[in-house]
Amino acid sequence: MQTTLRGVGVSHGVAIGEVRHMGTAVLEPPAKQIPAEEAEREQGRARQAVEAVAADLIARGNLAGGEAQHVLEAQAMMAQDPELMADVERRIAVGSTAERGVYDAFAAYRALLANAGEYLAGRVADLDDVRNRIVARLLGVPMPGVPDSDEPYVLIARDLAPADTALLDPALVLGFVTEEGGPTSHSAILARALGVPAVVALPGAGELAEGTVIAVDGSTGEIFVEPSAEKRAEMESAAAARKAALSASSGPGATSDGHKVPLLANVGGPGDVPAAVEAGAEGVGLFRTEFLFLDDSKQAPSEEKQVAAYRAVLEAFPEGRVVVRVLDAGADKPLDFLTPADEPNPALGVRGLRSLLDHPDVLRTQLTALSKAAQGLPVHLEVMAPMVADRADAKAFADACREAGLQAKFGAMVEIPSAALRARSILREVEFLSLGTNDLAQYTFAADRQVGAVSRLQDPWQPALLDLVALSAEAARAEGKSCGVCGEAASDPLLACVLTGLGVTSLSMGAASIPYVRATLAKYTLAQCERAASAARAADSAEGARVAAQAVLSGE
């Protein structure tokens, strides 16, 4: 008998297949004591296992490329954390085996992360995966992971570690469903990059029996258990229609009556550019520059290294628009040379622009590198600051850009509610706004973007979040300036229509989502989008907003 479950859809598409579960987690190693004379040998074993796991993560990242590479490199740095390794060696020195020392040291660090604020708590799943890999290597047992199968299947897991998600074979893994995670978790981001349908934050997903046939709708978040023949046919027909619409859609983003809505790509570095170009991106709406700085947490990359990386992206979009976000360090992306080590809640502390203003030499070098990278190119370079709270922040950033001789538009990200509420004031100092809806939702609802238990508050359809988007867009319109969205909200085709109706002037997303958004926008007029936006804002819940907007656009 068909039953319906609902999680959070995070990657478009339909998958119908049998359930396969992720492998069992590594068992806790026994707590036995070793003689003092064996401590040095055990410490050596632990170091070798850590280095081997870090090397494996980096190798997986090199194979995957793009966004996955950056995530896995960050995990490798986590494995090699010197303080964590020092704790492992201390535990071994007083009698623990290598595997037990690793297990207990990671457990202590895990507890710190879980209580250290929203961003760091969201990295617990990544930390658990690193621990499991090291312990498995020390125990000499296979690493739990994606099951072996000759037939395509739908993968079920409590959560998916980046190392597993990055190398999923779309020919075998039709889609995946997790109990944990949220719309902006690493699993969700990498699923979109792979183009694999995915649903996260589904309570009880692990209870689905192995071999059960399920149908997954990665757009709506619905899971149909043992779907009827009629439901299968309906979903397959809808998927075929969507595929045909994607094939027929090309060119710049626009509504059916010709209102232009540039569709841009979010990229993390040169490796993400080919997919963006292939998807028909009209430029880059969010160039995350952290990838350069995460290579070495001890010091900033040289100006020359930065120039080369920036130019590789700028050259890919001749005469296009490329919006670069300067370094957004802190919280879940700590850097030894930049980030305070003793903040009780890093997500609410010195991060983003605040860190750069405390280290003006780092900001000056980055702005100078961007200026040099753009020299002689016809590209339209725009540079924006993360975590802008008020007009004073915006002015400080604009002044720094001018002092560096940067010939570009200067902008501010709206990620803090205060920036949306005072957007018009901020626009007196900068030339554009870009809404980071992931962080804006997190700070508006006090809801960690990585925790599945509060995923309903991370839903970009929340009417309160739409109100803040509308405030920002109205302020930009009043000042004759632009206001884009570069958060994951832009990748939802239906929500893209609502954002357009709210007055947003451009949409930036992962490359895989661009064809879906382009095809959907082309079906509706601007007036229809505006009516859908009004209906969504009048609702009292995210689900109510989604249903109301859909009703307007479907003519109900």
Side-chain angles (χ1 to χ4, degrees):
M1 180 179 175
Q2 176 182 304
T3 58
T4 305
L5 307 174
R6 181 181 287 277
V8 179
V10 295
S11 184
H12 306 300
V14 169
I16 302 175
E18 292 188 359
V19 164
R20 294 285 183 275
H21 286 269
M22 181 67 79
T24 308
V26 173
L27 295 175
E28 180 179 345
K32 64 180 183 180
Q33 291 290 107
I34 60 168
E37 59 269 20
E38 293 184 16
E40 187 173 346
R41 178 179 67 83
E42 290 294 288
Q43 288 171 339
R45 285 182 64 226
R47 285 192 294 271
Q48 289 175 358
V50 165
E51 291 305 317
V53 166
D56 178 62
L57 289 168
I58 291 171
R60 285 169 176 259
N62 290 336
L63 282 173
E67 185 74 38
Q69 183 172 4
H70 312 144
V71 172
L72 293 174
E73 287 174 351
Q75 261 199 304
M77 289 175 61
M78 185 181 284
Q80 296 171 305
D81 183 277
E83 291 187 14
L84 191 52
M85 194 62 225
D87 189 22
V88 171
E89 294 189 346
R90 280 194 296 270
R91 292 172 188 274
I92 294 173
V94 296
S96 288
T97 62
E99 46 266 38
R100 188 71 206 191
V102 168
Y103 187 90
D104 289 340
F106 271 74
Y109 193 33
R110 187 187 198 280
L112 289 175
L113 284 186
N115 294 294
E118 297 172 354
Y119 271 94
L120 292 180
R123 293 296 170 259
V124 165
D126 293 2
L127 185 71
D128 287 348
D129 180 57
V130 172
R131 176 204 63 202
N132 289 348
R133 290 175 186 279
I134 297 171
V135 171
R137 183 171 285 274
L138 287 166
L139 290 174
V141 300
M143 179 62 213
V146 178
D148 290 329
S149 176
D150 295 329
E151 298 296 325
Y153 59 90
V154 177
L155 182 63
I156 306 291
R158 183 173 183 80
D159 201 354
L160 279 172
D164 294 317
T165 317
L167 296 182
L168 290 178
D169 181 356
L172 283 176
V173 181
L174 303 172
F176 66 75
V177 180
T178 66
E179 291 191 43
E180 299 290 334
T184 58
S185 66
H186 280 154
S187 294
I189 291 170
L190 295 178
R192 285 188 286 270
L194 287 166
V196 176
V199 172
V200 301
L202 179 70
E207 297 172 12
L208 291 167
E210 190 89 2
T212 302
V213 174
I214 64 172
V216 179
D217 189 326
S219 300
T220 66
E222 291 175 306
I223 307 292
F224 301 96
V225 182
E226 299 292 358
S228 64
E230 291 78 11
K231 174 54 71 174
R232 286 196 190 202
E234 175 190 327
M235 295 183 72
E236 288 169 350
S237 175
R242 186 181 298 162
K243 185 175 181 180
L246 293 179
S247 300
S249 175
S250 62
T255 59
S256 62
D257 56 340
H259 175 73
K260 294 187 182 303
V261 187
L263 302 181
L264 313 172
N266 294 344
V267 304
D272 293 335
V273 167
V277 172
E278 184 179 352
E282 297 169 60
V284 172
L286 172 62
F287 178 6
R288 306 180 185 94
T289 58
E290 290 77 48
F291 79 101
L292 272 173
F293 293 80
L294 292 172
D295 285 347
D296 183 356
S297 67
K298 303 295 183 185
Q299 61 183 358
S302 67
E303 181 182 303
E304 292 73 20
K305 183 176 180 180
Q306 292 189 54
V307 169
Y310 302 150
R311 194 170 180 90
V313 175
L314 296 176
E315 287 177 334
F317 295 95
E319 301 185 14
R321 179 187 179 201
V322 176
V323 183
V324 179
R325 181 179 70 192
V326 294
L327 176 62
D328 185 13
D332 63 330
K333 294 168 284 192
L335 295 171
D336 293 347
F337 66 89
L338 198 68
T339 309
D342 56 353
E343 288 189 301
N345 192 339
L348 300 178
V350 182
R351 59 166 295 200
L353 179 62
R354 298 167 186 175
S355 293
L356 293 174
L357 294 179
D358 281 350
H359 297 81
D361 54 324
V362 175
L363 177 58
R364 187 182 309 111
T365 299
Q366 184 170 25
L367 294 174
T368 301
L370 284 165
S371 179
K372 291 182 177 180
Q375 286 178 2
L377 297 179
V379 68
H380 300 287
L381 176 63
E382 301 183 14
V383 182
M384 62 186 182
M387 299 299 292
V388 171
D390 56 17
R391 183 173 179 174
D393 278 352
K395 183 178 187 305
F397 178 65
D399 287 346
C401 289
R402 282 188 282 266
E403 288 169 12
L406 188 61
Q407 299 297 309
K409 286 186 176 182
F410 318 141
M413 291 199 70
V414 177
E415 301 167 285
I416 304 173
S418 64
L421 294 168
R422 301 290 294 172
R424 195 161 183 179
S425 171
I426 288 172
L427 283 165
R428 305 271 164 75
E429 303 294 343
V430 296
E431 298 172 82
F432 69 93
L433 299 177
S434 183
L435 287 140
T437 52
N438 305 343
D439 269 326
L440 185 57
Q442 174 171 249
Y443 291 122
T444 298
F445 296 104
D448 187 340
R449 54 191 283 188
Q450 300 291 335
V451 175
V454 293
S455 61
R456 76 172 186 86
L457 297 173
Q458 266 292 328
D459 192 325
W461 281 94
Q462 285 285 355
L465 188 65
L466 300 181
D467 288 344
L468 293 176
V469 173
L471 278 175
S472 303
E474 288 164 6
R477 184 165 53 247
E479 293 294 320
K481 297 180 178 179
S482 63
C483 176
V485 167
C486 64
E488 293 299 323
S491 65
D492 179 333
L494 182 61
L495 186 51
C497 295
V498 168
L499 295 173
T500 298
L502 292 174
V504 166
T505 55
S506 66
L507 299 166
S508 189
M509 64 208 75
S513 298
I514 290 175
Y516 291 93
V517 173
R518 182 192 293 119
T520 304
L521 271 176
K523 292 164 59 177
Y524 305 108
T525 65
L526 176 59
Q528 286 176 299
C529 292
E530 290 171 341
R531 288 196 295 273
S534 295
R537 289 183 68 189
D540 292 320
S541 68
E543 181 59 23
R546 185 184 290 107
V547 169
Q550 181 66 70
V552 170
L553 293 177
S554 62
E556 296 177 7

